[in-house]
Amino acid sequence: MTSAPKQIICVKWGTAYGPEYVNRLYGMVSRHITGPFRVVCFTDDKRGIRPEVQTFDLPELGCPHPQRTMGKWRKVVLWGETLGDLSGPALFVDLDSVIVGSLDDYFSYGEPDDVILARNWAKPLQRLGQTSVFRFPVGRYPHILAKFRADPQGVADRHRFEQHYITSSVPGGIKLWPEGWTRHFRLHCLPPFPLRYFMPARLPKGARIVTFPGGPNPGDVAVGRWTPDAPEHPPAMDHLRGALRPGLSLKQRWRHVTRYVKPVPWIAEHWRE
């Protein structure tokens, strides 16, 4: 597509993810890419980020953040007329993604001005994108940010999720990555209940990036737990007994029972600096 360095970008704001997530992303990228590349982080806190990562201040949203919505609307700042010193195609990767294969094809697939998203596998019958991993031409579609800033709550109410808004806003429509490249951990790797009590999550053949939208966190499932406050890889019966704690609703008991995962060695192998 171009002889310019391959550009991988991420966003870090707030306290949910520390600098180790950025540093880990850089390590994974460096092991799975050929030719010159740069990793760029847009953040509100640059402390602790390894020097090989280029950092820029995270652009201001420029409007009130929508209320009553689950979407990560802070990410729409990537669609402004300018974005740091970047130009041309850039590949965005969420910080809680695990890179397990070559990234090179993410830069050669399609045309330079294409917007290419992962499929939203939670709604497979709809042509919706998922923005855990997407490529876009920097500065090419500034109307996306401008329209959002003009009516942030209205946009959020109509689309609910930032990725649905992006899907509907790209002129000519989005493209989707080939099916096997970008895999959803819960939907493509984790065995269905109750098999997850007996089998570890698998790494699908041909996968390049495994995403974790909506959790759990890769660092937790690597050691066999669903949440950071849970014990590492508890015996199955101990976990099941936890659903009998007093005060839980039926829904909470069922959620606890299904949120069981055995340690996942391939995550520990790949998700490191």
Side-chain angles (χ1 to χ4, degrees), residues 44-211:
D44 58 2
D45 187 355
K46 302 176 182 179
R47 292 175 298 178
I49 296 177
R50 59 192 293 173
E52 297 95 332
V53 177
Q54 297 173 278
T55 57
F56 291 93
D57 291 336
L58 182 66
E60 294 296 326
L61 190 58
C63 60
H65 194 283
Q67 305 298 311
R68 309 183 307 275
T69 177
M70 296 175 62
K72 297 180 180 179
W73 294 99
R74 197 70 176 85
K75 287 165 67 173
V76 298
V77 298
L78 299 175
W79 298 90
E81 290 186 3
T82 60
L83 186 62
D85 67 353
L86 280 75
S87 62
L91 180 69
F92 174 88
V93 181
D94 265 346
L95 288 176
D96 59 352
S97 301
V98 179
I99 300 173
V100 296
S102 174
L103 296 176
D104 291 343
D105 289 340
Y106 283 95
F107 294 92
S108 60
Y109 188 78
E111 300 298 326
D113 281 346
D114 286 342
V115 175
I116 311 176
L117 281 67
R119 180 180 290 276
N120 185 339
W121 292 107
K123 298 181 181 294
L125 299 182
Q126 303 179 41
R127 188 177 171 80
L128 291 174
Q130 210 282 332
T131 55
S132 289
V133 180
F134 70 96
R135 199 188 76 212
F136 68 110
V138 173
R140 181 70 175 81
Y141 303 113
H143 71 279
I144 292 176
L145 178 57
K147 288 176 64 176
F148 174 77
R149 283 175 169 169
D151 183 19
Q153 191 62 57
V155 169
D157 289 343
R158 288 190 296 274
H159 297 277
R160 296 191 63 222
F161 295 96
E162 159 264 343
Q163 58 205 26
H164 295 179
Y165 173 56
I166 301 304
T167 297
S168 67
S169 298
V170 175
I174 64 165
K175 291 185 177 179
L176 299 171
W177 299 119
E179 181 173 333
W181 290 8
T182 309
R183 303 276 78 184
H184 186 301
F185 177 77
R186 293 196 318 274
L187 300 179
H188 299 129
C189 305
L190 189 65
F193 175 82
L195 294 181
R196 62 189 61 172
Y197 276 81
F198 309 99
M199 302 166 54
R202 70 183 186 92
L203 177 59
K205 183 178 180 180
R208 313 288 184 88
I209 302 177
V210 177
T211 64

Side-chain angles (χ1 to χ4, degrees), residues 208-230:
R208 313 288 184 88
I209 302 177
V210 177
T211 64
F212 292 73
N217 187 285
D220 290 322
V221 296
V223 296
R225 64 186 180 192
W226 200 275
T227 60
D229 57 348

